[in-house]
Amino acid sequence: MIPMTLAEVAAATGGVLDTTDGTPVVDAPLAFDSRRPSPGSLFACLTGALVDGHDFAALAVEQGAVAALAQRPVHVPAVLVPDVLTAMSDLARAVHQRYDGVTIGITGSAGKTTTKDLLAHVLAAHAPTVANRASFNNEIGFPVTVSSVRPDTRYLVLEMGARGKGHIQALCDIARPGISTVLNIGSAHVGEFGSREAISDAKAEIVRALPATGKAVLNADDPLVAAMRREHDGRILTFGTDEGADVRATDITTDEGRPTFTLHHQGRTAAVQLTVYGRHNVTNALAAATTALAADVPFDTVATALSEARMATGGRMAVTTRTDGVTLINDAFNASPESVLAALDALTEVGRGRRRIAVLGEMAELGDASVQWHWRVADAAARAGLAHLLVVGSGEGADVLADAYTAATHTVPDRHTADTVSAAVRAILLPGDVVLVKGAHALGLDAVADQLLTV
């Protein structure tokens, strides 16, 4: 963190010092796990349904935290505030006001974390970079990420998610981006928003938040995203496969699922081969490349680093082959409808000439479009030529998917454990098979993928 005394922390959060004179300095990110606070951190005493962080403040200080951010005295140095979660955002805002590097915001219905990981790798090849860990893009993870910047940090990459109108604006109020990147507008959470147009309006908040000197990076291949150019009077850079895009990809091919393409920008070209799997990740790579170029990273650095970039976050098209030749595709961190279709396409590419199995969780938060989307997934599963489809879930979506896919189908209610799902897969698994595990994070299919890694 950019160093701040406890007195300055109290001023930023409207807090009161307790058991301290305010002179100790916080110079590490906010922490909320008392077992692993960084030396010099400030421990946030968050209160959950089962655990109260206040009970662990003394342990956090013992483990190296300078003090606690708390709502009541905790018998160790603390800044007492009315609400810890609000204070975390207030502190992150104060840190960001002292930060003089480039802040980059990324949003979209799918691909945010992949793009963030690719971009962070490219930027780090040029200058010190801080980015969200995993999908730390909510009211807890976001302030933690912002508080991670140091005086020498050149780039701050912030993934921004939204479950309603105003959510992205609230994040931008904490850390206003100088570059805003919008990937796509899909159908994830359409049941909550009501329509893709409403999703687009919410995502556009990241563009509206830009200062006049800011830069918008937009997907030229997505009409709803491309239309966001109306939201910003400053510089706009586009990416896509169309000739009119500022940064584009041509000659796209896949080698056992890994995409290769030619990157174009201002008359320059470079060959790029991604380490991540799935043709759909070309779009995410283009978004990362364009954002890096907007941040003044040299073209050659972008192209080279993009070919070397690996996912820092698990559960995103992670491909592993076991000793018996079984290949596992773990894409179980999340599951928007569009990402499920893309994952099935990737399964076809990776498993060409081999027997293919998919473990798919039912998709939630799709509202009236749920039946239609599950039918579309069933159709894509049929085109993928699956030997087996295992559907995990107990709702209408699971029923539709199981009924619509007429080949060998197994349904596992989501109330069962990962052991049950893994056992169902092992019962049909043969050496050399390719298995895709894909589902919403809440279904816990990442645990299934982990179990299937062992022969």
Side-chain angles (χ1 to χ4, degrees):
M1 192 168 94
I2 296 173
M4 296 177 67
T5 65
L6 288 179
E8 290 172 321
V9 170
T13 59
V16 176
L17 296 172
D18 185 64
T19 320
T20 176
D21 63 1
T23 58
V25 174
V26 177
D27 59 5
L30 280 163
F32 54 88
D33 186 338
S34 61
R35 298 165 298 179
R36 294 188 294 272
S38 299
S41 63
L42 182 68
F43 177 69
C45 297
L46 294 171
T47 301
L50 300 176
V51 177
D52 185 345
H54 292 80
D55 297 335
F56 301 92
L59 175 61
V61 171
E62 182 181 310
Q63 296 293 326
V66 172
L69 189 64
Q71 291 171 209
R72 62 175 185 268
V74 286
H75 310 297
V76 293
V79 176
L80 304 183
V81 295
D83 181 76
V84 171
L85 200 57
T86 299
M88 290 173 68
S89 293
D90 290 340
L91 178 59
R93 185 179 295 106
V95 170
H96 193 260
Q97 289 170 351
R98 299 182 179 207
Y99 173 64
D100 60 3
V102 179
T103 300
I104 298 168
I106 299 174
T107 197
S109 295
K112 293 186 294 296
T113 302
T114 298
T115 301
K116 178 263 300 180
D117 282 355
L118 295 175
L119 175 60
H121 182 95
V122 173
L123 294 174
H126 184 62
T129 299
V130 166
N132 309 71
R133 286 194 300 109
S135 287
F136 263 33
N137 60 13
N138 61 12
E139 65 274 18
I140 296 174
F142 193 87
V144 170
T145 303
V146 175
S147 72
S148 299
V149 297
R150 299 188 60 81
D152 66 341
T153 301
R154 175 61 178 161
Y155 299 114
L156 171 61
V157 182
L158 297 171
E159 178 183 333
M160 299 187 185
R163 286 183 172 272
K165 187 174 177 59
H167 288 186
I168 289 178
Q169 180 59 57
L171 297 178
C172 291
D173 287 344
I174 296 171
R176 187 181 189 184
I179 300 174
S180 291
T181 299
V182 186
L183 305 176
N184 46 52
I185 303 300
S187 300
H189 312 308
V190 71
E192 295 183 5
F193 282 92
S195 68
R196 291 180 68 243
E197 288 72 22
I199 295 172
S200 177
D201 184 58
K203 300 293 187 185
E205 291 169 5
I206 199 172
V207 179
R208 298 184 193 117
L210 287 169
T213 56
K215 302 171 185 177
V217 175
L218 305 176
N219 185 350
D221 293 339
D222 186 316
L224 288 174
V225 176
M228 292 182 193
R229 62 172 56 250
R230 297 192 295 264
E231 306 286 353
H232 182 53
D233 293 330
R235 187 179 176 192
I236 295 171
L237 289 87
T238 58
F239 61 91
T241 56
D242 187 88
E243 283 193 12
D246 296 307
V247 180
R248 62 192 180 99
T250 63
D251 310 316
I252 301 171
T253 60
T254 55
D255 178 11
E256 297 183 347
R258 289 176 53 194
T260 299
F261 62 93
T262 301
L263 181 68
H264 297 255
H265 176 58
Q266 294 184 343
R268 302 193 64 183
T269 63
V272 174
Q273 181 173 26
L274 300 178
T275 65
V276 294
Y277 288 76
R279 183 180 291 259
H280 61 287
N281 276 319
V282 172
T283 298
N284 297 328
L286 282 174
T290 309
T291 306
L293 291 166
D296 299 323
V297 179
F299 180 81
D300 289 342
T301 301
V302 171
T304 299
L306 202 55
S307 293
E308 298 170 346
R310 297 183 181 277
M311 289 296 296
T313 307
R316 298 318 205 276
M317 292 305 297
V319 179
T320 307
T321 299
R322 305 187 330 185
T323 56
D324 62 351
V326 168
T327 298
L328 181 72
I329 305 173
N330 179 1
D331 200 33
F333 193 88
N334 219 325
S336 68
E338 292 84 359
S339 71
V340 175
L341 298 178
L344 286 168
D345 286 342
L347 172 62
T348 302
E349 292 283 349
V350 175
R352 196 171 298 280
R354 301 163 65 184
R355 212 174 73 121
R356 297 181 287 278
I357 297 170
V359 181
L360 301 181
E362 67 177 327
M363 300 175 293
E365 300 176 355
L366 296 178
D368 294 338
S370 178
V371 171
Q372 177 187 358
W373 272 114
H374 283 91
W375 270 100
R376 285 189 63 179
V377 168
D379 181 63
R383 286 185 279 106
L386 301 181
H388 295 275
L389 169 65
L390 284 84
V391 180
V392 181
S394 55
E396 179 187 45
D399 293 340
V400 169
L401 185 53
D403 291 343
Y405 187 73
T406 56
T409 308
H410 313 262
T411 303
V412 183
D414 56 10
R415 64 177 178 273
H416 286 288
T417 64
D419 292 340
T420 305
V421 181
S422 299
V425 177
R426 290 184 188 278
I428 56 176
L429 198 59
L430 297 176
D433 284 351
V434 182
V435 183
L436 167 68
V437 182
K438 177 74 172 173
H441 187 61
L443 290 176
L445 295 186
D446 50 342
V448 174
D450 289 342
Q451 291 186 13
L452 291 175
L453 287 175
T454 59
V455 178

